[in-house]
Amino acid sequence: MSRFKDFMNSDAGARARYEKRKRQRVYIYIDNIEPQSKKMPEAERDKFQEAVAEQLTTLKRATFTGDVALKIDLATTSKNAPQAHTIAKNLLDLLGVRRSNVKWPHRHLLYKDDRQIQALSVSCSHGETSPAISIGARPFGSMLDDLELATEARRSIEMSSDYFYEQDREVDWIKTFRNLIDDETNYRRSLGDDGYDAYRKMVRWYAQRAMLKSSGVTIPVLNWMYGRPKDIPTGFGQERWTSLISASKIRLQVGELPITKGSSDVFKQNVSKEIIAFKNRWDWLINPLVVSVALEVIVRPNPATPSAVLHDLDNIVRDYLLPSIVPKFGTVSDHRWTIDFNELQRTNPEIAKSWGSNPMPPPGTKSGVTRYEAWRLPPVVGEPGFVSVALLADVDATGDHMDEIDQSIKAWASHSDLNYRY
């Protein structure tokens, strides 16, 4: 018994539990159906559900009955591809109730109701050579266990001197850009107009990247906001971390979700007011945006929210946030829209050539965000709900939090292997 307990408390035991949780996941990949919105033809809808049912049958998996963490990655080929959130809406509906023409022994496919989705990530790449729909689902309880393990894995990284040095260096870019604005006359005198303009453009990119990277929650903070690890003091309570995020001035704080009739308009007005306030604070740095941006949404419902009006995570992003955020900030759906290819051709023709003759996605797909993810915290009795949104710099190809969790655990496991061998 003692040896078993020692194993369970060891790194090897943690890895074994992680591998067991991975076997609870479902991965579905479809590469012969174009991702489409609700305008998807009936035959294509049946084809999509048939592909999902076939893969679930092969995996010997039934419908998820509990809470789910869901990840959807899309690739479109159409010159008139719809925006990612309209595609996601269609697919989320199709992953629920089975259509009458589709052979599957259950009424539902991947899950019974959108409200089961407690964490959602959607990304989309337009202008690809072949279509693809990739879906990953796992029990949300397993997702939280993975999050807790990833927090432990990242602790050694985030407590290192190199990590703190990197954070300080990121902040320096913002200070440098502020100095360039405040002391423009002297900088132009010393650098010349062309030199100043080029330097300011470069510093703006790094400064925006630094500021928008810091607006997102880290894996440890996300873990602590869910009250993990349980029954172990962290020195900073769950509610304290949540209050810091819900009050951060580098995030959009748009208040409580509407739960009564007529309150939707009030919530939309709150979103618009917060965007104006945010731009007043940060327009000097982020207007215009020169980095691609993803959306991170943290939602905590009001404890008085009736189950019948609990908002689906996708609806929150699609109905309330993207319609205001995308046009007001000028966000784009792909990092290629932030590249001036004419200037690149002039300054570095070899790199420009490597992009090919037509590097841009279809023009109609420009508006949007590179991806969005939303996480729902449990309500807290006696505390208000909130919706907190971060515009994340999406330039380092680190992926969403689900990717980051798995990457952190993979790095930790590799390090453990080295320690074990040597």
Side-chain angles (χ1 to χ4, degrees):
M1 187 69 179
S2 175
R3 291 179 62 184
F4 176 75
K5 185 176 181 180
D6 289 344
F7 172 77
M8 294 301 288
N9 291 331
S10 68
D11 285 353
R15 287 175 60 182
R17 292 192 296 276
Y18 174 65
E19 292 300 326
K20 183 179 180 180
R21 291 194 298 272
K22 283 177 68 176
R23 293 194 289 273
Q24 297 176 317
R25 302 181 189 182
V26 170
Y27 293 103
I28 297 170
Y29 184 75
I30 302 169
D31 61 2
N32 61 348
I33 298 176
E34 179 73 20
Q36 299 176 63
S37 65
K38 285 288 190 179
K39 296 180 181 179
M40 191 178 201
E42 297 293 317
E44 288 289 285
R45 295 187 188 193
D46 286 345
K47 185 179 178 181
F48 171 79
Q49 285 202 334
E50 287 165 359
V52 172
E54 180 181 352
Q55 294 191 39
L56 287 174
T57 300
T58 300
L59 294 169
K60 298 181 180 180
R61 298 300 299 266
T63 306
F64 280 96
T65 57
D67 290 342
V68 176
L70 186 67
K71 179 178 171 63
I72 299 176
D73 296 316
L74 307 166
T76 72
T77 64
S78 172
K79 293 181 179 179
N80 300 306
Q83 293 182 318
H85 60 278
T86 63
I87 299 173
K89 169 60 176 173
N90 180 39
L91 299 185
L92 289 170
D93 288 346
L94 290 174
L95 288 170
V97 180
R98 172 183 57 80
R99 291 167 60 82
S100 59
N101 294 334
V102 177
K103 293 182 179 180
W104 175 248
H106 311 288
R107 182 168 179 262
H108 303 276
L109 280 175
L110 190 61
Y111 45 74
K112 293 183 177 181
D113 192 292
D114 287 2
R115 292 184 181 89
Q116 292 173 241
I117 302 172
Q118 303 300 312
L120 173 68
S121 172
V122 177
S123 66
C124 185
S125 179
H126 294 294
E128 299 297 320
T129 56
S130 60
I133 301 172
S134 177
I135 300 164
R138 67 184 90 174
F140 188 64
S142 295
M143 176 83 263
L144 293 181
D145 289 338
D146 293 345
L147 176 62
E148 186 173 321
L149 179 57
T151 297
E152 183 65 23
R154 289 198 61 83
R155 185 172 62 174
S156 60
I157 297 173
E158 297 191 358
M159 291 303 292
S160 70
S161 58
D162 288 344
Y163 178 81
F164 287 112
Y165 171 75
E166 182 65 26
Q167 301 310 301
D168 288 341
R169 193 174 68 169
E170 294 279 342
V171 172
D172 285 343
W173 285 112
I174 302 174
K175 295 177 181 176
T176 300
F177 187 74
R178 183 76 254 183
N179 290 338
L180 283 172
I181 295 174
D182 293 342
D183 200 15
E184 180 175 346
T185 300
N186 286 331
Y187 274 105
R188 284 192 179 277
R189 186 181 300 118
S190 62
L191 298 175
D193 287 340
D194 290 344
Y196 172 82
D197 291 339
Y199 184 53
R200 174 169 163 163
K201 184 176 182 179
M202 180 196 75
V203 173
R204 183 192 288 274
W205 188 93
Y206 280 103
Q208 284 188 11
R209 174 177 173 270
M211 180 264 191
L212 296 178
K213 276 179 64 179
S214 66
S215 67
V217 299
T218 64
I219 291 300
V221 170
L222 185 62
N223 180 62
W224 297 328
M225 285 196 296
Y226 278 103
R228 297 292 189 103
K230 295 179 179 178
D231 304 322
I232 299 177
T234 61
F236 219 45
Q238 171 186 1
E239 187 54 37
R240 180 61 174 159
W241 284 110
T242 303
S243 65
L244 286 175
I245 295 302
S246 64
S248 170
K249 294 299 183 181
I250 56 176
R251 299 176 66 95
L252 295 162
Q253 312 294 352
V254 296
E256 289 192 314
L257 286 166
I259 60 175
T260 58
K261 186 176 181 180
S263 59
S264 291
D265 289 340
V266 174
F267 184 72
K268 289 178 181 178
Q269 291 170 9
N270 288 342
V271 172
S272 296
K273 289 177 182 177
E274 177 61 11
I275 289 174
I276 292 172
F278 187 90
K279 287 176 70 67
N280 284 339
R281 290 194 298 271
W282 295 107
D283 239 27
W284 61 272
L285 174 58
I286 64 171
N287 186 18
L289 277 170
V290 293
V291 298
S292 52
V293 166
L295 220 60
E296 175 200 271
V297 184
I298 306 294
V299 178
R300 186 174 74 184
N302 187 303
T305 304
S307 58
V309 299
L310 184 68
H311 294 265
D312 299 340
L313 292 178
D314 188 64
N315 289 348
I316 297 169
V317 179
R318 186 184 68 253
D319 296 341
Y320 296 115
L321 301 177
L322 289 177
S324 294
I325 287 173
V326 170
K328 293 292 176 59
F329 290 99
T331 61
V332 295
S333 62
D334 192 290
H335 75 280
R336 286 172 286 181
W337 293 111
T338 66
I339 301 173
D340 187 337
F341 282 99
N342 289 329
E343 182 181 1
L344 187 62
Q345 178 64 44
R346 179 178 59 82
T347 58
N348 200 322
E350 286 299 316
I351 292 181
K353 185 179 179 181
S354 69
W355 282 90
S357 58
N358 185 25
M360 302 305 294
T365 66
K366 181 177 181 179
S367 294
V369 291
T370 58
R371 60 178 169 80
Y372 61 88
E373 60 179 303
W375 296 74
R376 185 177 1 244
L377 302 176
V380 177
V381 176
E383 297 292 338
F386 65 84
V387 178
S388 179
V389 185
L391 301 175
L392 295 180
D394 194 23
V395 297
D396 296 327
T398 55
D400 56 27
H401 285 317
M402 296 186 205
D403 291 329
E404 190 180 355
I405 287 166
D406 286 336
Q407 289 162 6
S408 297
I409 295 173
K410 182 178 179 180
W412 164 79
S414 297
H415 184 69
S416 296
D417 282 344
L418 287 174
N419 286 342
Y420 177 77
R421 291 174 190 169
Y422 301 106

